[in-house]
Coordinates of all heavy atoms in Angstrom, one line a residue:
F123 N 1.0 7.1 7.6 CA 0.6 6.2 8.7 C 1.8 5.7 9.4 O 2.7 5.1 8.8 CB -0.2 5.0 8.1 CG -0.7 4.0 9.1 CD1 -2.0 4.3 9.8 CD2 0.0 2.9 9.5 CE1 -2.4 3.4 10.7 CE2 -0.5 2.0 10.4 CZ -1.8 2.2 11.0
C124 N 2.0 6.1 10.7 CA 3.3 5.9 11.4 C 3.2 5.0 12.6 O 2.9 5.4 13.7 CB 3.7 7.3 11.9 SG 3.6 8.6 10.6
L125 N 3.4 3.7 12.3 CA 3.4 2.7 13.3 C 4.8 2.1 13.6 O 5.2 2.0 14.7 CB 2.5 1.5 12.8 CG 2.4 0.3 13.7 CD1 1.8 0.6 15.1 CD2 1.6 -0.8 13.0
S126 N 5.6 1.8 12.5 CA 6.9 1.1 12.7 C 7.9 2.0 13.4 O 7.9 3.2 13.2 CB 7.4 0.7 11.3 OG 6.5 -0.2 10.7
G131 N 8.6 -3.5 14.6 CA 8.2 -3.7 13.2 C 7.1 -4.7 13.3 O 5.9 -4.3 13.5
S132 N 7.4 -5.9 13.0 CA 6.4 -7.0 13.2 C 5.8 -7.0 14.5 O 4.6 -7.2 14.7 CB 7.1 -8.4 12.9 OG 7.7 -8.4 11.6
W156 N 10.7 4.0 8.4 CA 10.1 3.4 7.2 C 8.8 4.1 6.9 O 7.9 3.4 6.4 CB 9.8 1.9 7.4 CG 11.0 1.1 7.9 CD1 11.0 0.4 9.0 CD2 12.3 0.9 7.2 NE1 12.2 -0.3 9.1 CE2 13.0 0.0 8.0 CE3 12.8 1.4 6.0 CZ2 14.3 -0.4 7.7 CZ3 14.1 1.0 5.7 CH2 14.8 0.1 6.5
I157 N 8.6 5.4 7.0 CA 7.3 6.0 6.8 C 7.1 6.4 5.4 O 7.8 7.3 4.9 CB 7.0 7.1 7.8 CG1 7.2 6.6 9.3 CG2 5.6 7.7 7.6 CD1 6.3 5.4 9.6
T158 N 6.2 5.7 4.7 CA 5.8 6.1 3.3 C 5.1 7.4 3.3 O 4.4 7.8 4.2 CB 4.8 5.0 2.8 OG1 5.5 3.7 2.9 CG2 4.4 5.3 1.4
K201 N 16.3 3.0 -1.5 CA 15.6 1.7 -1.5 C 15.9 0.9 -2.8 O 16.2 1.3 -3.8 CB 14.1 1.9 -1.4 CG 13.7 2.8 -0.2 CD 12.2 2.7 0.1 CE 11.3 3.2 -1.1 NZ 11.2 4.6 -1.2
I204 N 10.2 0.4 -5.3 CA 9.3 1.6 -5.1 C 10.1 2.9 -4.8 O 9.8 3.6 -3.8 CB 8.2 1.3 -4.1 CG1 8.7 0.9 -2.7 CG2 7.2 0.3 -4.6 CD1 7.6 1.0 -1.6
T209 N 10.4 7.4 1.5 CA 10.3 6.7 2.8 C 11.3 7.3 3.8 O 12.5 7.5 3.4 CB 10.7 5.2 2.6 OG1 10.0 4.7 1.4 CG2 10.4 4.4 3.8
I358 N 8.8 -5.6 -1.9 CA 8.3 -4.9 -0.8 C 6.9 -5.4 -0.4 O 6.5 -5.4 0.8 CB 8.3 -3.4 -1.0 CG1 8.0 -2.6 0.3 CG2 7.2 -3.0 -2.1 CD1 9.0 -2.9 1.4
I361 N 6.9 -7.6 2.5 CA 7.5 -7.0 3.7 C 6.5 -6.1 4.4 O 6.2 -6.2 5.6 CB 8.8 -6.3 3.4 CG1 9.8 -7.4 2.9 CG2 9.3 -5.6 4.7 CD1 11.2 -6.8 2.5
Y362 N 6.0 -5.0 3.7 CA 5.3 -4.0 4.5 C 3.8 -4.4 4.7 O 3.3 -5.3 4.1 CB 5.4 -2.6 3.9 CG 5.1 -2.2 2.5 CD1 4.3 -3.0 1.7 CD2 5.6 -1.0 2.0 CE1 4.0 -2.6 0.4 CE2 5.2 -0.6 0.7 CZ 4.5 -1.4 -0.1 OH 4.2 -1.0 -1.3
E363 N 3.2 -3.7 5.7 CA 1.9 -3.9 6.1 C 1.7 -5.4 6.6 O 0.7 -6.0 6.4 CB 0.8 -3.5 5.1 CG 0.9 -2.0 4.8 CD -0.3 -1.4 4.3 OE1 -1.4 -1.9 4.4 OE2 -0.1 -0.3 3.7
T365 N 4.7 -8.7 7.3 CA 5.5 -9.6 6.4 C 4.7 -10.8 6.1 O 3.7 -11.1 6.7 CB 6.8 -10.0 7.1 OG1 6.5 -10.7 8.3 CG2 7.7 -8.8 7.5
E367 N 5.5 -13.8 6.8 CA 5.5 -14.6 8.1 C 4.4 -14.1 9.0 O 3.7 -15.0 9.6 CB 6.8 -14.5 8.8 CG 8.0 -15.2 8.1 CD 8.6 -14.4 6.9 OE1 8.2 -13.2 6.8 OE2 9.3 -14.9 6.1
I368 N 4.2 -12.8 9.1 CA 3.1 -12.3 10.0 C 1.7 -12.7 9.4 O 0.8 -13.0 10.1 CB 3.3 -10.8 10.2 CG1 4.6 -10.5 10.9 CG2 2.1 -10.2 10.9 CD1 4.7 -11.2 12.3
I371 N 0.9 -16.0 10.5 CA 0.5 -16.1 11.9 C -1.0 -15.7 11.9 O -1.8 -16.4 12.6 CB 1.3 -15.1 12.7 CG1 2.7 -15.6 12.9 CG2 0.7 -14.9 14.1 CD1 3.7 -14.7 13.6
Ligands
FAD401 C1 9.6 0.8 1.8 C2 8.9 0.6 3.1 C3 7.8 1.3 3.4 C4 7.2 1.2 4.6 N1 6.1 2.0 5.0 C5 5.6 2.0 6.2 C6 4.6 3.0 6.7 O1 4.2 3.8 5.9 N2 4.3 3.0 8.0 C7 4.8 2.1 8.9 O2 4.3 2.2 10.0 N3 5.6 1.1 8.5 C8 6.1 1.1 7.2 N4 7.1 0.2 6.8 C9 7.6 -0.8 7.8 C10 7.1 -2.2 7.6 O3 5.8 -2.4 7.9 C11 8.1 -3.1 8.4 O4 9.3 -3.1 7.8 C12 7.6 -4.5 8.5 O5 6.4 -4.6 9.3 C13 8.6 -5.5 9.1 O6 9.1 -5.0 10.3 P1 10.7 -4.9 10.5 O7 11.3 -4.3 9.3 O8 11.0 -4.3 11.8 O9 11.2 -6.4 10.5 P2 11.2 -7.4 11.7 O10 9.9 -7.3 12.5 O11 12.5 -7.2 12.5 O12 11.3 -8.8 11.0 C14 12.5 -9.4 10.5 C15 12.1 -10.8 10.0 O13 11.7 -11.6 11.1 C16 10.4 -12.1 10.8 N5 9.6 -12.3 12.0 C17 9.4 -11.3 13.0 N6 8.6 -11.8 13.9 C18 8.3 -13.0 13.6 C19 7.5 -14.0 14.2 N7 6.8 -13.9 15.3 N8 7.4 -15.2 13.5 C20 8.1 -15.5 12.4 N9 8.8 -14.6 11.7 C21 8.9 -13.3 12.3 C22 9.8 -11.1 9.8 O14 8.7 -11.8 9.0 C23 11.0 -10.8 8.9 O15 11.2 -11.8 8.0 C24 7.7 0.3 5.6 C25 8.8 -0.5 5.3 C26 9.4 -0.3 4.1 C27 10.7 -1.1 3.8

Side-chain angles (χ1 to χ4, degrees):
F123 181 84
C124 316
L125 174 66
S126 300
S132 302
W156 309 120
I157 304 305
T158 302
K201 306 194 296 286
I204 54 164
T209 313
I358 192 59
I361 296 174
Y362 57 18
E363 299 201 21
T365 63
E367 290 77 14
I368 295 302
I371 292 176

